[in-house]
Amino acid sequence: MTVCEFRPGLEGIPAAQSSISHVDGQKGILEYRGIRIEELAEKSTFLETAYLLIWGELPTKEELEAFEHEVRFHRRIKYRIRDMMKCFPESGHPMDALQASAAALGLFYSLRDLHNPAYIRDSVVRLIATIPTMVAAFQLMRKGNDPVKPRDDLDYSANFLYMLNEKEPDPLAAKIFDICLILHVEHTMNASTFSARVTASTLTDPYAVVASAVGTLGGPLHGGANEEVIQMLEEIGSVENVRPYVDNCLERKAKIMGFGHRVYKVKDPRATILQTLAEQLFEKFGYDKYYEIALEMERVVEEKLGSKGIYPNVDFYSGLVYRKMGIPTDLFTPVFAIARVAGWLAHWKEQLAENRIFRPTQIYDGRHEAPYIPIEQR
Ligand code: ACO
């Protein structure tokens, strides 16, 4: 078979057959295992949605309780992981700390038993349970504090906010955080998921799969855009500055962070829900002046780029939500990873079920038969 056409970014080329999630980019629809995200955001929890994605069906009450129980009791990280993290430079980016820590887990669980459902389940539980603990631990340790131990009486999202802020979160904030995790958990064949599947296809361990996906998620064209949105809103500083800022970006052909998507040609449905969540937080905890700037940006970008299908993506409003919860800007992408790990693991499991190693081809446009020039003659 010869594929002649080269599509930069593999645009439009299927990399897998998958039944995990579906996007209709023209209508702005996102479904997990066939269920619309709006319905899951309203009725489900992050752990229930993770279960749905990984095992294909919504759990029964007993199945969900068992899963929640397992995750709850695997939240602690090993002392040696914590000690290793203590040695990380506090100036390092938390995504790098997370990538290194996720990979280090593989050192402790080196048995690779990919055909054993119990091994798959243990790995899923361990990764979903410990990633939030590692994110919170690095945050506290880089401030010079000891990490806070997980609290078994708190549910998944409340416990993360507790470990991060060293105090029990407001119930509305915890609920909204849980919805944010649902919105970020999975999104078809994006860059980090592709990365996870490529790594999985070599039959390596799930810790390597997650570590490679974390590395991919961190870039500013992918999950890292949520940090840059906040930096951009701060730089703009006032509603009047929005139009000149947008014009300047367009003149320089610079990308405006938080806008545009390979698949969505309308507003990302996750951005719509996140905007509503931001408003609920502002109502309870006070207004954020950057929201006004964000609204004006949405208006101006739509006016200028709407005809190209450029609208807010998931990263545009998520930063405003996280900011209101007191989450530092450089933790926005690690928070994204806390959610997305369940999506990556669903793809890991699906990839293993019908695995063939990824080995695409390339179009070679280099030289042939080139002479080797001795070093002194170069
Ligand atoms: N600002 C200005 N123009 C844009 C933007 C943007 N954010 N996004 C796309 N465009 C324009 C491009 O300049 C291009 O115009 P042209 O046809 O006149 O050259 C056209 O729209 C198509 O853009 P591409 O870059 O080819 O789109 P692609 O599908 O490769 O990229 C991407 C998608 C990476 C998300 C892009 O829109 C972007 O860089 N956005 C900003 C970064 C961002 O917010 N990333 C988060 C995405 S969501 C996520 O990963 C979780």
Side-chain angles (χ1 to χ4, degrees):
M1 183 184 68
T2 325
V3 178
C4 293
E5 192 191 355
F6 167 52
R7 302 247 193 118
L10 300 184
E11 181 168 2
I13 297 181
Q17 204 154 319
S18 178
S19 57
I20 299 171
S21 65
H22 170 72
V23 173
D24 183 327
Q26 300 299 332
K27 294 192 185 135
I29 292 174
L30 171 58
E31 294 169 331
Y32 299 158
R33 300 281 186 189
I35 305 176
R36 292 274 286 260
I37 51 153
E38 289 79 2
E39 194 168 7
L40 290 165
E42 188 191 330
K43 300 177 183 164
S44 188
T45 62
F46 170 67
L47 285 184
E48 184 185 56
T49 303
Y51 188 104
L52 165 74
L53 289 165
I54 296 166
W55 283 285
E57 298 290 344
L58 284 168
T60 61
K61 194 168 176 290
E62 292 73 29
E63 285 167 339
L64 181 60
E65 278 170 8
F67 182 53
E68 285 172 346
H69 178 83
E70 286 168 59
V71 170
R72 196 178 292 259
F73 289 100
H74 280 86
R75 285 172 181 169
R76 289 180 187 215
I77 49 174
K78 289 186 179 293
Y79 285 112
R80 288 166 76 184
I81 294 267
R82 202 194 61 183
D83 290 348
M84 177 194 79
M85 293 179 79
K86 260 192 186 148
C87 299
F88 292 168
E90 52 285 359
S91 58
H93 196 285
M95 275 303 266
D96 295 330
L98 179 59
Q99 188 184 23
S101 314
L105 279 182
L107 292 164
F108 294 94
Y109 307 102
S110 54
L111 168 77
R112 204 182 300 141
D113 193 5
L114 300 176
H115 297 296
N116 181 352
Y119 172 83
I120 304 254
R121 185 167 177 121
D122 279 358
S123 311
V124 162
V125 165
R126 188 171 298 115
L127 277 156
I128 291 179
T130 53
I131 284 207
T133 313
M134 295 192 294
V135 171
F138 181 67
Q139 168 62 9
L140 293 195
M141 287 191 287
R142 71 177 170 164
K143 291 196 296 186
N145 300 350
D146 279 334
V148 169
K149 288 201 177 80
R151 253 180 55 189
D152 291 345
D153 60 318
L154 295 176
D155 70 19
Y156 188 80
S157 290
N159 175 60
F160 170 69
L161 293 174
Y162 162 73
M163 290 189 296
L164 189 69
N165 296 322
E166 302 178 85
K167 65 171 199 280
E168 216 176 296
D170 177 273
L172 177 72
K175 175 68 195 153
I176 287 183
F177 186 77
D178 201 68
I179 299 173
C180 290
L181 296 184
I182 294 176
L183 299 178
H184 286 85
V185 61
E186 159 64 10
H187 206 246
T188 73
M189 198 52 62
N190 54 84
S192 57
T193 300
F194 182 48
S195 184
R197 284 192 85 126
V198 170
T199 310
S201 80
T202 68
L203 302 185
T204 185
D205 64 76
Y207 307 99
V209 169
V210 168
S212 74
V214 169
T216 310
L217 184 69
L221 295 188
H222 192 12
N226 55 14
E227 282 183 34
E228 307 225 354
V229 168
I230 290 295
Q231 282 153 12
M232 174 182 76
L233 296 177
E234 284 172 355
E235 189 189 325
I236 294 172
S238 72
V239 170
E240 302 71 58
N241 291 342
V242 168
R243 195 168 283 274
Y245 180 91
V246 172
D247 286 340
N248 182 275
C249 286
L250 297 182
E251 254 168 51
R252 292 185 292 117
K253 295 197 179 309
K255 293 275 167 62
I256 303 160
M257 289 293 134
F259 287 88
H261 198 277
R262 174 66 60 81
V263 185
Y264 292 116
K265 298 304 160 207
V266 294
K267 185 167 175 177
D268 186 326
R270 299 167 298 175
T272 307
I273 301 174
L274 283 161
Q275 189 174 357
T276 313
L277 299 178
E279 284 170 2
Q280 285 176 24
L281 282 172
F282 299 152
E283 210 168 285
K284 178 147 189 196
F285 301 109
Y287 200 65
D288 184 332
K289 76 163 186 168
Y290 294 111
Y291 185 52
E292 208 50 60
I293 301 174
L295 289 177
E296 178 67 1
M297 282 219 74
E298 185 174 343
R299 272 191 291 272
V300 174
V301 173
E302 181 176 345
E303 176 194 312
K304 308 246 174 201
L305 294 173
S307 58
K308 278 192 189 174
I310 309 294
Y311 289 92
N313 60 45
V314 67
D315 288 324
F316 191 60
Y317 287 108
S318 62
L320 288 171
V321 172
Y322 297 147
R323 232 169 93 93
K324 205 69 207 165
M325 291 176 179
I327 299 175
T329 308
D330 64 358
L331 285 194
F332 294 173
T333 321
V335 163
F336 193 153
I338 289 175
R340 189 56 65 86
V341 68
W344 295 327
L345 291 168
H347 282 270
W348 170 58
K349 192 165 164 287
E350 189 176 68
Q351 181 67 35
L352 291 181
E354 300 240 4
N355 189 52
R356 188 154 190 229
I357 189 168
F358 277 91
R359 202 335 180 165
T361 187
Q362 61 173 17
I363 294 173
Y364 179 67
D365 65 356
R367 297 181 296 178
H368 290 284
E369 306 287 344
Y372 176 82
I373 303 166
I375 196 160
E376 53 288 346
Q377 290 171 29
R378 287 177 218 156

